[in-house]
Amino acid sequence: MILNEQMQEMIDRYLMGKMSAEEKRIFEIQMAEDKILRDEISLQKDIISALHFTGNAELKQRIAAMHSEPHLKIASARTANIRRIFAIAAILIVFITAAIIIYYPEKDSNDLYALYYAPYDASILTRGNNASQLEKIADLYEQNNYAGALTEINIYFQSVGATNAQIILMKGICELETGKPDDAAESFESIISRHDPFYSDQATWYLALLEIKEGKNELAVQHLKQLNNDSHADHHKDAESLLNEIR
Amino acid sequence: MSLSTSFRSKEKGNNQLLKTFKDLSERNSIFRVTFRKAVVLNDEQIIKKLRSASQQEQNDALKFLYKEYFTMAVHLIRSNNGDADDAKDVFQDSLITIFNKVRQPDYETGSSLKTFLYAVCRNIWLKKLRTSGYDYKFRETQDANETVESISEIMEADEKQKTLITLINNLGDDCKKILLYFYYEKLSMQEIVEQMGLSGEQVAKNKKLHCMNKLREMVLSNSSTIEILRN
């Protein structure tokens, strides 16, 4: 069937929601009685949906091309102002850093550990089943009650098994904080060995810090290089900076 | 630290300092150029450009949104278990959602575009996390009180749509263009005439009808396509 202009215009107005309520009512009565019209509407609905996918795909290509355009050329005045402030701040930081590099002695392992270490932030704890138990762990952890959190984590793992990488990471931090470095290393290594997509980087970072603290700089450098080589890794910049300090 | 080591260290530090100053000086010249070229658009101007028939105008608005708010998306996604690549994908999909939403005739300016964009990025990322099996407590990186409801997100094409998309791509450039202008960008016939350099509205109407019939024939002449569409 070849559609004429009048029929196609009617279908367009129906499918694009441009009919009045009365027009729409009459058209739907016609559709109910006419299978060919119903099939035609169904086909054109599918075609319009596919045109939307095509349009979105082409728009995405246009937008993706913008991502690689030189950013500064289209920066706003506000952004440029912020950048100016950052530039001034950067100059000050360079002065201060240079002063530290030139006039202060090299830091030892404990200094570096203290400078870079901060407990993992568990405020984004992923909750699912056992939500109340996880909340209890998160609360103790956030209150820096690491011994209490460690006890609760062990109870939790006894009941559900040690499968949640985020909780294993928190366990490692609790073990670090309560003076159990070997246990902490084991916790971090267990996350790394399972290649957990979300927490491997964090585990690698804390393991490297622990290794620095224990004077195992060669191992630490290996772990830090892993983070430094992956520009998307968590602690990528921290790793770069810490590597420079160690060298 | 021995005296010679100390000297070497200082020399290394001074060289680093000189290099950094050189880099900063070069970057500062870029900042100055940027400042002169800066373009600032308000929400009303951005919406007007996004609704325009001209791809150049649309691109100007999209680039402005990219420049202004991509960092916001990176911060949001990185604070919620994602990385820079995730942020790029989510932000680009969010821009598409905004583009489509703003071009709807019933679009009403409620919250600011920044709030709207944040809400769309948040929804898309939350949905992706949940699809991956994460029951997630979201960490907001800005005030999310003005949650935008009913945001239509980009969906994956199913087999039926993929088959039709292939046919659309085989339709020929002009036919594909006129159907996209009419059904996707929702341009009027007069705007289509201007964009495609046609001689008048009736010519545009005839061309659009011819292209729709051509596409329908391509669909209906292929039994396997009809089978897929029926399922």
Side-chain angles (χ1 to χ4, degrees):
Chain A
M1 179 176 74
I2 299 290
L3 290 175
N4 62 31
E5 190 183 330
Q6 197 186 1
M7 192 59 185
Q8 183 59 54
E9 214 170 291
M10 189 89 90
I11 292 172
D12 285 343
R13 293 184 65 236
Y14 176 71
L15 289 177
M16 295 172 91
K18 289 180 177 172
M19 279 185 172
S20 67
E22 183 58 13
E23 270 182 304
K24 191 178 168 201
R25 193 184 63 80
I26 294 168
F27 191 75
E28 283 175 348
I29 290 171
Q30 202 182 336
M31 270 170 64
E33 290 166 353
D34 186 345
K35 187 179 179 311
I36 295 174
L37 179 60
R38 269 202 313 276
D39 288 348
E40 186 57 42
I41 295 288
S42 169
L43 171 63
Q44 293 212 19
K45 214 183 247 180
D46 286 337
I47 287 176
I48 292 174
S49 165
L51 282 165
H52 273 267
F53 275 103
T54 310
N56 280 344
E58 292 194 350
L59 182 59
K60 179 127 186 177
Q61 278 181 5
R62 271 160 65 193
I63 293 171
M66 289 170 197
H67 188 84
S68 48
E69 283 184 16
H71 284 196
L72 291 171
K73 281 186 184 167
I74 51 170
S76 71
R78 187 170 64 79
T79 314
N81 271 336
I82 291 168
R83 288 203 175 114
R84 277 165 176 264
I85 293 164
F86 272 112
I88 293 163
I91 290 168
L92 288 174
I93 289 167
V94 167
F95 269 121
I96 295 163
T97 311
I100 291 169
I101 290 169
I102 295 166
Y103 295 107
Y104 283 81
E106 287 173 20
K107 298 178 193 74
D108 67 25
S109 299
N110 279 325
D111 287 339
L112 286 175
Y113 178 84
L115 191 61
Y116 283 86
Y117 174 78
Y120 167 73
D121 182 352
S123 61
I124 51 169
L125 180 65
T126 308
R127 290 164 171 86
N129 295 330
N130 309 93
S132 64
Q133 234 176 322
L134 290 177
E135 259 157 24
K136 195 173 177 185
I137 292 168
D139 289 343
L140 288 166
Y141 186 94
E142 280 165 13
Q143 290 156 18
N144 301 337
N145 183 349
Y146 297 108
L150 187 55
T151 307
E152 288 302 323
I153 288 171
N154 285 329
I155 294 169
Y156 174 71
F157 281 164
Q158 274 166 17
S159 64
V160 300
T163 52
N164 184 328
Q166 193 181 17
I167 305 295
I168 300 173
L169 181 69
M170 288 163 69
K171 180 172 178 274
I173 299 294
C174 291
E175 286 158 343
L176 266 183
E177 292 281 352
T178 53
K180 299 183 179 76
D182 291 345
D183 292 349
E186 203 176 311
S187 295
F188 298 140
E189 275 161 356
S190 80
I191 298 170
I192 297 165
S193 65
R194 67 169 72 181
H195 304 291
D196 186 275
F198 290 111
Y199 298 103
S200 278
D201 294 343
Q202 295 280 0
T204 306
W205 169 247
Y206 284 109
L207 184 59
L209 286 177
L210 175 58
E211 285 159 346
I212 286 171
K213 192 181 182 189
E214 295 191 326
K216 300 171 183 169
N217 279 13
E218 275 183 23
L219 284 173
V221 166
Q222 278 178 26
H223 285 124
L224 291 171
K225 277 182 176 170
Q226 281 174 25
L227 298 174
N228 189 32
N229 290 340
D230 178 3
S231 61
H232 301 310
D234 287 325
H235 295 291
H236 164 74
K237 286 280 173 199
D238 294 336
E240 187 182 11
S241 162
L242 187 47
L243 275 170
N244 286 334
E245 299 256 21
I246 295 172
R247 283 163 190 158
Chain B
M1 190 186 287
S2 73
L3 198 58
S4 62
T5 314
S6 170
F7 268 118
R8 273 203 304 278
S9 172
K10 281 185 183 179
E11 191 181 355
K12 188 180 162 194
N14 287 335
N15 286 339
Q16 276 176 348
L17 195 60
L18 280 172
K19 185 177 180 302
T20 313
F21 275 144
K22 193 165 173 260
D23 289 349
L24 278 171
S25 144
E26 280 168 10
R27 286 173 63 186
N28 266 326
S29 67
I30 298 169
F31 293 143
R32 278 194 292 277
V33 172
T34 307
F35 191 68
R36 280 202 301 274
K37 285 185 179 176
V39 176
V40 182
L41 300 174
N42 61 31
D43 279 5
E44 200 181 328
Q45 291 166 319
I46 295 168
I47 291 168
K48 194 177 168 197
K49 281 177 180 285
L50 288 176
R51 283 179 171 168
S52 159
S54 151
Q55 209 172 85
Q56 184 56 51
E57 291 283 296
Q58 295 167 7
N59 283 352
D60 286 348
L62 290 166
K63 280 177 189 176
F64 183 81
L65 289 172
Y66 216 116
K67 277 309 310 145
E68 286 295 297
Y69 302 125
F70 179 58
T71 319
M72 173 187 80
V74 172
H75 188 207
L76 172 72
I77 306 302
R78 288 196 70 135
S79 303
N80 288 284
N81 269 1
D83 60 22
D85 272 351
D86 295 323
K88 190 173 89 175
D89 274 351
V90 168
F91 187 71
Q92 290 179 358
D93 284 350
S94 303
L95 284 182
I96 294 170
T97 304
I98 298 273
F99 179 86
N100 288 325
K101 191 81 183 167
V102 161
R103 292 180 70 92
Q104 282 173 11
D106 59 350
Y107 173 77
E108 283 177 17
T109 319
S111 50
S112 70
L113 276 178
K114 182 184 179 185
T115 306
F116 189 24
L117 197 48
Y118 177 85
V120 178
C121 286
R122 182 188 188 280
N123 283 11
I124 291 177
W125 182 235
L126 200 52
K127 193 174 175 189
K128 283 192 180 180
L129 285 173
R130 287 187 176 146
T131 310
S132 325
Y134 280 81
D135 184 10
Y136 195 73
K137 186 188 173 194
F138 215 80
R139 178 195 275 185
E140 304 294 352
T141 52
Q142 65 168 261
D143 187 6
N145 288 338
E146 292 181 70
T147 309
V148 180
E149 301 295 339
S150 322
I151 295 163
S152 54
E153 288 161 11
I154 316 284
M155 309 293 283
E156 287 287 316
D158 58 23
E159 194 189 359
K160 188 199 283 187
Q161 282 144 347
K162 281 179 185 165
T163 307
L164 289 171
I165 290 166
T166 309
L167 295 179
I168 290 166
N169 286 327
N170 290 334
L171 199 53
D173 281 350
D174 275 0
C175 271
K176 181 179 165 185
K177 202 182 270 183
I178 200 166
L179 293 181
L180 283 174
Y181 277 149
F182 187 79
Y183 292 104
Y184 178 69
E185 296 206 24
K186 298 182 175 59
L187 300 192
S188 67
M189 280 300 161
Q190 184 51 42
E191 285 171 322
I192 291 175
V193 166
E194 287 161 14
Q195 291 303 312
M196 297 188 72
L198 301 175
S199 55
E201 282 194 29
Q202 191 53 51
V203 176
K205 276 184 189 172
N206 292 347
K207 191 163 181 60
K208 187 220 137 210
L209 181 65
H210 161 78
C211 293
M212 182 51 119
N213 274 323
K214 187 176 168 188
L215 180 57
R216 288 172 60 253
E217 275 171 37
M218 284 166 77
V219 175
L220 297 172
S221 63
N222 188 326
S223 56
S224 63
T225 309
I226 294 172
E227 191 58 35
I228 290 167
L229 290 181
R230 276 184 189 149
N231 289 330

